[in-house]
Amino acid sequence: MDKRKVIYYTDELNDEFSVAVITPKRIDGDYVYCHNTIWKKFTRFFWYRIVATPLALGYLKFKFHHKVENREILKKYRNTGYFLYGNHTQDIGDALIPNVLDIPKQTYVIVHPNNVSMPVLGRITPSLGALPLPDDMKAYRNFLRAIETRIGEGAKVVIYPEAHIWPFYTGIRPFPDDSFVYPIKHGVPTFCFTNTYQKRRFSKKPRIVTYIDGPFFPDENIPARDRKKDLRDRVYERMRERAKLSDVEWIKYIKREEKND
């Protein structure tokens, strides 16, 4: 459990408060996003089904007394690919929570290259579904093909649009609409999940209660150029409403006052 009580910030869009220090490797055109060999398919099954899913369930239940609300809305889309957006407030937890929302659906997560750059774990995270952001145009094309492949397979692709980790933060930070082009391009539903921090009966430590909302679809009655922002705004507002259900502030975030020269 993070022992920090107060964190000062200056920039809601770019400040990062994860305690991990990792030097990211470059994701270039040689990075392979989708493996088709029997061995890689086996490692995916082993790490994702045999190791990660039970670990996620146990860790989240023991560490955070995790609870999911409104899970039933995903059942209709069990065999359909979709995009799932969430708030970014845990390091390990955010890697695990998407996996337990709609078991046994396959999960892939768009991540910072840090997640595939760790000495040991970085070799495993691709088998867990990590899709690192690309660093050049060739890698970007491969990245887009990987997303198309996974959505076509009926998996969900998870995106943390806030991009940076703010541990235990109880609000929703402003985020850009760039990533909302994906569900529009692929013509699939959008869902969101909001992790809230709520009181436990016999402990001062909060529990995580995750609320799922959706589906959201592009508004076909507005110009195409406006649909990405409109979709983002509806998801953002729903997440803000859910975030109000947090009733524990484990870490207090205070904005630094700007100094005038």
Side-chain angles (χ1 to χ4, degrees):
M1 189 73 72
D2 200 312
K3 295 183 179 180
R4 290 175 290 183
K5 295 301 179 185
V6 178
I7 289 178
Y8 292 90
Y9 70 92
T10 56
D11 185 347
E12 288 179 295
L13 287 175
N14 298 301
D15 284 353
E16 170 71 53
F17 297 113
S18 171
V19 296
V21 180
I22 302 168
T23 301
K25 68 180 184 180
R26 180 174 173 77
I27 306 299
D28 59 20
D30 293 328
Y31 185 87
V32 180
Y33 283 94
C34 296
H35 293 273
N36 295 314
T37 65
I38 294 176
W39 172 249
K40 286 295 184 180
K41 290 180 179 180
F42 169 75
T43 58
R44 164 68 176 172
F45 174 79
F46 175 77
W47 287 113
Y48 182 72
R49 291 292 186 207
I50 305 301
V51 177
T53 300
L55 176 65
L57 290 167
Y59 175 87
L60 293 170
K61 196 67 177 179
F62 176 78
K63 184 81 172 178
F64 295 110
H65 290 247
H66 184 236
K67 181 181 180 182
V68 181
E69 295 284 0
N70 213 24
R71 191 199 307 265
E72 63 275 5
I73 65 173
L74 299 175
K75 290 182 179 179
K76 180 180 176 181
Y77 300 90
R78 181 62 55 82
N79 299 315
T80 303
Y82 61 76
F83 289 87
L84 182 65
Y85 295 78
N87 54 328
H88 211 1
T89 63
Q90 291 291 323
D91 46 11
I92 298 175
D94 284 352
L96 301 178
I97 287 174
N99 296 303
V100 306
L101 299 183
D102 54 353
I103 297 171
K105 194 177 186 71
Q106 294 278 349
T107 302
Y108 295 87
V109 185
I110 295 177
V111 301
H112 188 278
N114 282 353
N115 292 269
V116 297
S117 303
M118 295 167 281
V120 177
L121 191 56
R123 296 175 179 270
I124 299 173
T125 50
S127 293
L128 300 179
L131 300 174
L133 291 167
D135 286 313
D136 64 28
M137 187 53 66
K138 184 179 178 182
Y140 182 65
R141 289 193 292 268
N142 294 338
F143 173 75
L144 293 180
R145 280 196 291 269
I147 292 176
E148 182 177 15
T149 296
R150 299 314 181 192
I151 288 295
E153 292 171 346
K156 69 175 180 286
V157 175
V158 179
I159 298 173
Y160 289 101
E162 294 172 325
H164 303 281
I165 298 175
W166 284 29
F168 294 91
Y169 187 61
T170 56
I172 303 298
R173 289 166 278 148
F175 49 77
D177 60 13
D178 306 50
S179 63
F180 288 84
V181 70
Y182 300 130
I184 295 174
K185 176 182 178 181
H186 295 287
V188 296
T190 296
F191 291 88
C192 65
F193 66 100
T194 309
N195 296 318
T196 65
Y197 295 91
Q198 301 186 17
K199 294 177 181 177
R200 287 165 54 186
R201 188 173 182 182
F202 299 111
S203 175
K204 293 182 179 180
K205 297 178 181 178
R207 73 182 306 184
I208 294 179
V209 180
T210 300
Y211 295 89
I212 305 173
D213 288 290
F216 301 88
F217 294 96
D219 187 346
E220 302 292 338
N221 297 314
I222 62 176
R225 65 178 180 275
D226 297 328
R227 291 172 191 170
K228 181 174 65 169
K229 181 180 183 302
D230 173 74
L231 183 60
R232 174 266 181 203
D233 290 349
R234 284 184 282 130
V235 168
Y236 178 70
E237 290 304 322
R238 189 56 181 155
M239 292 175 70
R240 287 188 65 190
E241 287 300 311
R242 290 296 195 185
K244 294 176 182 178
L245 297 172
S246 289
D247 57 14
V248 176
E249 192 176 42
W250 184 256
I251 297 177
K252 186 176 183 65
Y253 284 82
I254 300 175
K255 188 168 186 176
R256 294 184 187 275
E257 294 184 4
E258 295 183 3
K259 295 182 179 179
N260 298 320
D261 295 333

